[in-house]
Each structure stands twice: as structure tokens, then as C-alpha cells.
Amino acid sequence: MTSSPPSGSDRQSAFDRLDPEIRRWIWEQKWEELRDVQDRAISAVLDGSSDVLIAAATAAGKTEAAFLPILTATAGRKERGFSVLYVSPLKALINDQFRRLDQLCERLGVDTVRWHGDAPQSAKDRARRNPRGVMLITPESIEAMLVRRPGEAKAMLGSMDFVVIDELHAFMRGPRGLHLASLLRRLDALGGKRARRVGLSATIGDLHKAAAWLSPHAPSSVAIVQSGSDAPELRLQIRAYVDPVDTEDPDALEVDGKSIALDHIADHIFENLRGSNNLVFGGSRRRVEAVADRLRARSERADVPNEFFPHHGSLSKELREELEARLKSSELPTTGIATTTLELGIDIGSVKSVAQIGAPRSIASLRQRLGRSGRRQGVPAVLRIYVRERTVRLDGDPLDSLRLEVVRAAAAIRLLLEKFVEPQSPEGAVATVVLHQTLSVITQVGGDRADRLYEAVCGAGPLSTFPKQDYVTLLRAMASPEAGLVEQAPDGTVMLGRNGERLTSGRDFYAIFSTDQEWRLVTAGRTLGTMPISNPVGVGGIVSFAGQRWKIVAVDDAAKVIEVARHASGKIPKFDGVANEPVHDLLSERMRDILASDDMPAYLDANAAAYLLEGRQAFRDMELDRTRVLRAGRDTHVLTWTGTEMNSVLALALASAGLECSVLDIGVTVVDASPVEVAGMLGQIAAAPPSLEDLSEFVMNLRTEKYDDYVPEGLLRRTWVAARRDESLRLRDLASLLCRDQG
DNA sequence: GACCTGCTGCGGGATG
């Protein structure tokens, strides 16, 4: 989307409308002019009375775009209480923004205070005594304030004029976004005045959904300020490497006496990225460490100072901040090797290139990463994707020869150039958030009638999709003797129960997310290890773990234990399984397009181009343009070329008919079944597709969110079903397509 | 074999 540049007189007038002190500050900053986004945001904030959504690339000056007019509008405020609340998903971002805002605000005589777990207590105490100006806060700290000091919350945040939500896209999916939406609604209710909301977002995602998040009651009234498309020139390369035939662990730290693909990738990074600032995204902590270690070793061997450093969630804050500071200062050339930790807007200055190890699974994420490169005008953004393929073995899986890593990388680039972004999927965490917010509201007000609690939590906004009937069911479960979360007084008032007291008084209560829930894999009384499982698994399902295939014998949802038995059939597939981030339908579909077409993208290096030719040849040899059911030893692959969600539903449908399945990026593998058997089953599904309600009985790990253990199972099943209406409708067509194509 | 995000209140001790 583009916008015409504003005329000179408009530009002049927007600037002139700012507070005189702010104009002086702008002159002192030696800004030559206001950015387009800032210019238009000034009008949107000062002219309108609606909420405002500012969507622009990183470093386009979004923060100033919001704050210059907001500070102008609130300059004369005399009323006690904070006038502006700035909410951020990260403490580090709050610290960055505080540094940027504080000096401007000081000029204006406006107080600013950081309010998060690591912020200085003395400043908070000062703000408590004299609440005014701008508060920068995390959702969790809002929660803590409402629960611990509701009176103080009202005095400080009960009469705000504006709420600024930074990195809005980070709140658009997942329970944390629902949590924040609920908190903002509760803040509005404190003083009976709704603060105007200003959302800041990168140019990703669906703007109308973002507007609906900001203003659930009036999404079309939101003023949308989007930056003109000044996307820099993009330089792309996909580079392919191969692991030797006997590579056991392609992410190993060190392999004696031989080079694996990761060694060659490290060589290329060392030779091409040294001497400048860059970001390398590694995908997993383990791989990040393996790459960082190789680069450090290369620096030592070459007798040059190391300039490659890891960055991920398991590293201490000190180590991470050291790297961030080094990147930002630009004094020494620095390359950060990160998981997703450097994706969000922490200020790290500009980098020369972005690299990614492994084919992308999410275009939204790829775009976000790319946004970190080429941030200066006239400088091209540089993206390198390093993919690794295996040496194909004669006794290997036939899908190996399709070269799906190279194909997925090419498909991702195609979608990137098509400007595709995954829409956020329907939210499954509603019940957990409703339960959490119910406990929180009870703690805040001391207790209330059930109907008033429902109104306070679900009366409007994203939680209003939770039906009143379900709320009654949920409250009953919370009041049960086993749960003990709430109890009801004779006059009908719902109050905290014993467990409710315990839960709400703990430090862990403030966040709606739980730290990684690991499932323990047990076989014959022996623990194999732990693994996180995010996709539905059921008894009879197949998982790979510790280099083996396992069949699930039993699932203990409460204890998070999966009992497995060794499963002897076939080889472990050599491609990514489901424990990865799910892929979208279109990515899978484009993978098939790439294999079925003939054009050779210019951005493939010689190896990648050769693998793509090989994959296309295999695609033709196996006649995959005609057939979608493929024998692989004793197993059968069903190639749907759709995304993970659809494949999971198909796998459940097959499992409900007694087949053992595992889910692939591009389809489903049916274990120990012939193509004829599978085709017959698909025919039955096409003729009489099982209902999603029936299939939900086969999903064993419904409890994925923090407080799901307290949510009645039937309610979770309904939520699961509701989130998959689309897949349910497509099941019949998909099944008939699959058995029709069966050669 | 994905990844990431957050945290009160209080008491004790050191420091200015």
C-alpha cells in the first residue's frame, strides 16, 4: 500500500500544531523534516477522537509519531494520575524507549517512569506519591498492580488519556494478547473513562484485525496510519549444503574427523560476514550454540578477534545485553547469532545482512527478520538462507529425494515476494484467560456476584466470545472441592477459595503464559527424556525421539507423561517432523508448485539449483503430479500439500479409523499400511467424514495453556472444535481428492 | 527433537 507524499503546506501545518517546546526539541535534534508517518500520525491524534493504528517498518520513527502529538495533547493536564500508559511486551524495549522519551519529556516537564520487574523501586515510589505523566509498563506489571494494589491502580491509572501499545503484532496471537486486552478493559473501567488507544506495529499482518484488537466495539473507526512503501531493494540467496551419509546429528557441536554441512556454512559466514554487523537466525538454541562455537573456533585459528556471539533465551541477561550493546554501538564489527530473541524491536542499530539457517517455516517471521536489515535509505537488504540436505540413500525414504528443504526455502521466498503474511489463527486459550481474569477480578474487588463477574471479564472485547453458559460451567468447576479456587457465600457472592488464595498470592500468577511444558517420555518404566509436544497426539500415534520411532501407548495428561513402546517399522523420516513450528497451507501448496514447475530462480546457488532439479526429477519419476498416495517401505505417505493444521485433522480422521499416523509438513504418513488400504480408508472418510466432535475424542493433550488443568474437559473440546471449523469443512473434499488421485 | 515473553513484597545487609 502506498500513500502520496503530503504537500509542503500540510507538512508545515502538522509541525506547527505541535507544542512549542516539542518544536524546539525537534530543531535541536537537527531533524530536517518529519517522517511521513509522523506527519500523518500528528493529524490523526490531534484531529480525531478515535483510536489510531500506526503501521511502519522498524526504525521509521513510530514512537515519536505517537508521542509527539500525544504529549502535545496532554501538555496542559492538571488532573492527578498518569495521562499516558505505554505497554510493551519486553522489559528491554521499555528501557530503550525510556531512554528515548525521558529527555524529551524532561524538557516538557512531564514525568516518565519505567514500571517493570527490574525497574528501580525508588522511581516507582516517587510515582506513587505523585502520579502524573507517562508510565512505561508490561502487561504482567499491570496485572500485579490490579491484584496487589487496586486502590493505587485507580489513583494512578484511572483517568488516563492515552494508552500506547507497542509491537501490537506481538499481542495479536496467543494468550498474552487476550490477557492484555482484558487488562486494558479493566483499566478503562477503573475510572469509567476509556483512554484512547494508539497501536504501533511493524508492517506485517492484517491491519483490519489489528484495528479490531484495538477497538473491538468500533474497528472501522480506527484511524490507520501506514507508512508509504519505501521497502529497500532486496538481495537474496539460497545456499545449499549436504551432510555426509552417516551424519547422526546435523546440529552437533563437533564431529571428529569430518566436516558436516554446518562446518561449511560456518566457513561461508566467517568469510562473508566478518567485518560488519549482521544477524544470523539459527532456529534452535542448540543450533545457535553449534554455529557460534564454530565461528569462535575459526576466529581463534585465524588469530583474529572473535566477533560472533550467541543470543537466546537460556543465556543470562548480562551476556545478551553485552551483545545488544555491541551491535548498537557499531564500534566493533559484530554478528549476533540468535533464536527468535533478536526479532522484536530492541534497538540494535542497522545491520548489513540477515542470514537464516534452515528453510523458513513462517513468512511473518522471515519478514520480521528481514526488517532488521537495510534500514538505512539506499542500502539494499541482504538475506541469505542456508539449507542443509541429506545424502540420499537407496534404502531411504522416497520423500528424501524431493529435496524438501531447498523446495521449502524457495517456496518461502516466493510467498515473501508475493507479500503474503500468515493471518493469526483462531485463539484456543480463551478458557484459560477467562479463568485467570476471573480470579484476578475477584482478588481486585474482593468478591462479586457471578453475573457481574461475567460482565467484568467477558462483557466486551475478545473474551466476549466465551458464552455465558460456558462461564457457569467454568465457575462450577472452579468451585468444586477438588479445584477449591472459589467459593460462594450464602448471599451469592463469589469469593476466593483456599487454592484461589494460594494461586493469586504467588508471583507466578501475573503472567498468563507458563514456561515450557515438557512431556516426559517413558518406556517400560524408564524415562527416555523430555520433549515439548504442541500438536495433538493420541494413543496409537507415532513420535520420533532419541533416534528411534515410538508408538504412544498411554497419555497421562495431568502428569505430562507419555508412555511409549519401541516401534520397529521403517526408517525415521529424514525431514522435519511436527514438533516444529506449524506451516501454513500456502507454504505447503507453493512447495508443490515449485516442484511441478520448470523455472529456475536466480537466487539459488549452484548446489541449491542442482538439488531443485533433482527434486523435480524425483517428483516426475514418482508421478506426484498425478498421485498423492505413495508407498514408503511398509508405510504409506499421503501427500496433501496443505498446512500442519489440516494435516493434523486428517491424521486424526485416519487414526479414528484405526490407522497409526504421523504428521508431515506436506501430508501424513500412515504406518504399516499399504497404499490400497489407505486409499480405501480415504474413500470412507470422503463418503462419511467423521465429525470434528468425534475426532476431538482422539486428541489427548488438550490441556496446553497455563490454567487448563482447572478447565472442564468438555469445554476444552468445544474450544478445540470451534478453532478448526475450517479444516472440518475441508476434510471431505480433501479426502475425495486424495483417493481420486490415487494412481 | 522450534522459539519467546513476565514477576510482589519483605527482610537483611551494605553504603552514603
Side-chain angles (χ1 to χ4, degrees), chain A residues 689-720:
Chain A
S691 75
L692 216 48
E693 284 75 10
D694 290 344
L695 291 187
S696 76
E697 295 297 325
F698 288 83
V699 184
M700 303 299 286
N701 56 341
L702 282 167
R703 302 182 194 280
T704 52
E705 302 298 337
K706 192 171 179 186
Y707 296 106
D708 281 355
D709 283 346
Y710 295 104
V711 181
E713 189 170 314
L715 219 157
L716 288 174
R717 283 199 199 289
R718 283 206 293 285
T719 311
W720 185 90

Side-chain angles (χ1 to χ4, degrees), chain A residues 134-453:
Chain A
V134 182
M135 178 184 285
L136 298 86
I137 198 167
T138 60
E140 289 71 22
S141 285
I142 300 176
E143 178 67 62
M145 198 185 287
L146 285 172
V147 166
R148 290 283 160 258
R149 301 163 176 252
E152 208 169 76
K154 182 173 182 181
M156 290 199 290
L157 306 180
S159 62
M160 295 183 296
D161 302 304
F162 289 92
V163 174
V164 179
I165 300 121
D166 204 355
E167 305 279 4
L168 179 60
H169 54 274
F171 292 116
M172 295 279 299
R173 73 176 70 208
R176 206 173 178 207
L178 291 178
H179 184 198
L180 177 59
S182 173
L183 291 172
L184 294 184
R185 196 168 159 264
R186 288 168 63 194
L187 288 183
D188 286 338
L190 282 179
K193 166 189 170 184
R194 187 182 185 277
R196 280 177 75 190
R197 299 181 183 176
V198 178
L200 312 183
S201 172
T203 47
I204 64 164
D206 184 335
L207 287 181
H208 298 285
K209 288 207 171 125
W213 192 99
L214 271 187
S215 284
H217 59 289
S220 56
S221 73
V222 173
I224 297 181
V225 177
Q226 194 182 18
S227 79
S229 68
D230 49 359
E233 181 200 341
L234 177 59
R235 291 198 192 150
L236 283 171
Q237 192 175 38
I238 297 175
R239 304 184 61 86
Y241 298 82
V242 68
D243 276 314
V245 67
D246 55 345
T247 305
E248 276 169 17
D249 179 3
D251 292 328
L253 209 56
E254 210 175 323
V255 183
D256 283 342
K258 73 174 175 200
S259 295
I260 61 174
L262 212 52
D263 293 295
H264 301 297
I265 292 170
D267 286 338
H268 190 267
I269 291 175
F270 186 74
E271 282 155 28
N272 292 274
L273 269 54
R274 229 178 68 80
S276 55
N277 281 12
N278 307 276
L279 294 179
V280 176
F281 291 98
S284 72
R285 284 175 260 196
R286 192 154 172 271
R287 198 179 300 153
V288 161
E289 289 295 342
V291 172
D293 184 71
R294 280 171 170 77
L295 289 163
R296 184 193 44 74
R298 275 158 185 71
S299 303
E300 278 169 17
R301 279 205 296 276
D303 201 21
V304 294
N306 179 35
E307 52 192 64
F308 300 94
F309 302 93
H311 192 277
H312 57 73
S314 304
L315 287 175
S316 71
K317 202 175 84 170
E318 287 69 32
L319 285 172
R320 290 165 63 166
E321 284 175 352
E322 228 170 82
L323 168 66
E324 290 158 23
R326 222 187 117 127
L327 275 165
K328 186 162 29 179
S329 84
S330 290
E331 279 163 25
L332 297 165
T334 307
T335 292
I337 302 159
T339 49
T340 59
T341 41
L342 291 176
E343 247 178 52
L344 275 188
I346 310 169
D347 183 11
I348 49 155
S350 65
V351 297
K352 187 176 169 194
S353 78
V354 169
Q356 154 132 352
I357 299 173
R361 304 180 69 80
S362 151
I363 315 304
S365 184
L366 182 64
R367 189 177 295 279
Q368 183 78 15
R369 291 169 185 189
L370 195 54
R372 294 300 208 155
S373 158
R375 298 173 9 149
R376 279 167 305 189
Q377 280 195 324
V379 182
V382 178
L383 173 68
R384 292 184 181 89
I385 299 177
Y386 295 97
V387 300
R388 296 174 296 173
E389 287 287 347
R390 304 288 179 114
T391 305
V392 170
R393 299 160 58 127
L394 284 175
D395 61 347
D397 191 290
L399 289 188
D400 286 353
S401 55
L402 288 177
R403 299 306 188 181
L404 292 173
E405 278 286 304
V406 169
V407 170
R408 197 171 78 238
I413 295 296
R414 190 176 283 190
L415 285 175
L416 180 76
L417 298 176
E418 286 172 23
K419 302 203 182 303
F420 170 76
V421 174
E422 291 87 356
Q424 62 277 34
S425 42
E427 188 47 64
V430 177
T432 266
V433 181
V434 168
L435 185 143
H436 177 254
Q437 289 298 283
T438 298
L439 289 175
S440 175
V441 169
I442 293 173
T443 315
Q444 178 191 341
V445 301
D448 212 337
R449 292 201 321 257
D451 57 332
R452 289 169 50 105
L453 287 173

